[in-house]
Amino acid sequence: MRINNSTEAANTGRLHVDYAQARDDQYEWECRQRQLQREQRHRERIEAERLRPPSPPPVVHYSDHEATIIAEQLKGDDTFSKAVQIVITWLERGDCSKRNAGTFYSMIQSTNSHVRRLMTEKSQYEEELAKFREQTRARMQGVIMQFGQIERVFMSAGHQKVWDHFTKAQRRNIEMWKKQAEVCHASCTPIHSVCCQ
């Protein structure tokens, strides 16, 4: 090897390269790689935990005091769903015993009283649906009737004594409009049959 292409002893020499594996360097590199993988797994776990929906709060354990609170919540429409879920959990856990069977019976009775309310709501919604169907059917009937009138206009315009008075461009437009109206009318018929069911 030469420095600045000089042949003087101070600027020349030999460079020895040992191709044997440097175990210490490789060990450090492998340790570093494992550390990076651990950090990556840690970041992924933190990200997965961040994206996971929060677990629901634990259900309170049965006590006479909690049962009184839940019994009151079962009577309210806005608190019913949450309260009934707690009753289900208590029953499934086996919290019902001979001593508190009366309390559980009254909670089940309160739950049952919601059946009447739900039946009333159901019939009210069915009534609203029937009214909505009737309104929609009447509106669709009006749309279909108007399409029929529009098609009659095009049919009347197609009579020979009238047709001859239009220019070629006007005839093309009338034909195109007639086809569009027929397609629209045909697309309304299936919707109307669904509304009338």
Side-chain angles (χ1 to χ4, degrees):
M1 183 176 99
R2 292 181 185 174
I3 299 173
N4 291 333
N5 207 15
S6 173
T7 56
E8 296 174 14
N11 291 334
T12 61
R14 288 185 179 268
L15 182 66
H16 175 74
V17 178
D18 186 0
Y19 288 101
Q21 225 172 4
R23 300 280 181 210
D24 293 343
D25 291 345
Q26 183 175 357
Y27 178 73
E28 286 178 19
W29 183 80
E30 287 173 352
C31 286
R32 180 73 182 135
Q33 292 304 310
R34 284 195 295 272
Q35 180 186 359
L36 291 172
Q37 289 171 353
R38 277 194 305 273
E39 289 172 359
Q40 179 64 27
R41 284 194 303 269
H42 181 68
R43 279 194 299 274
E44 288 171 358
R45 188 169 50 249
I46 287 175
E47 185 65 19
E49 287 174 4
R50 189 180 67 78
L51 294 176
R52 186 175 37 225
S55 55
V59 174
V60 293
H61 288 284
Y62 176 83
S63 70
D64 291 337
H65 174 69
E66 288 296 333
T68 307
I69 294 170
I70 296 302
E72 283 303 312
Q73 289 179 351
L74 284 170
K75 295 174 184 169
D77 290 345
D78 51 338
T79 56
F80 175 78
S81 293
K82 184 180 175 187
V84 83
Q85 196 59 48
I86 293 172
V87 172
I88 291 167
T89 305
W90 286 346
L91 288 168
E92 288 174 351
R93 277 183 190 166
D95 289 334
C96 182
S97 66
K98 194 80 167 162
R99 185 183 67 78
N100 59 20
T103 306
F104 272 96
Y105 178 78
S106 67
M107 288 190 287
I108 293 168
Q109 193 175 25
S110 294
T111 304
N112 183 55
S113 68
H114 277 265
V115 171
R116 283 191 305 277
R117 178 184 61 84
L118 292 174
M119 290 304 290
T120 305
E121 276 185 33
K122 179 178 175 277
S123 63
Q124 178 186 343
Y125 295 150
E126 285 172 347
E127 223 175 272
E128 289 174 10
L129 180 62
K131 284 179 185 174
F132 175 75
R133 276 195 174 144
E134 182 58 34
Q135 287 175 345
T136 306
R137 188 193 64 73
R139 290 175 182 162
M140 285 301 296
Q141 192 67 41
V143 168
I144 290 172
M145 187 180 78
Q146 288 180 22
F147 269 122
Q149 291 170 332
I150 291 168
E151 284 182 352
R152 283 184 59 200
V153 167
F154 289 126
M155 295 277 289
S156 301
H159 289 193
Q160 197 64 44
K161 61 183 178 185
V162 178
W163 192 250
D164 292 340
H165 297 296
F166 296 119
T167 66
K168 282 188 176 181
Q170 289 171 333
R171 290 178 193 169
R172 269 197 308 272
N173 285 339
I174 292 171
E175 283 292 329
M176 183 181 65
W177 296 334
K178 181 181 175 185
K179 286 177 185 171
Q180 287 174 344
E182 287 170 353
V183 168
C184 291
H185 188 191
S187 70
C188 283
T189 307
I191 297 171
H192 181 254
S193 61
V194 168
C195 291
C196 291
Q197 288 177 352

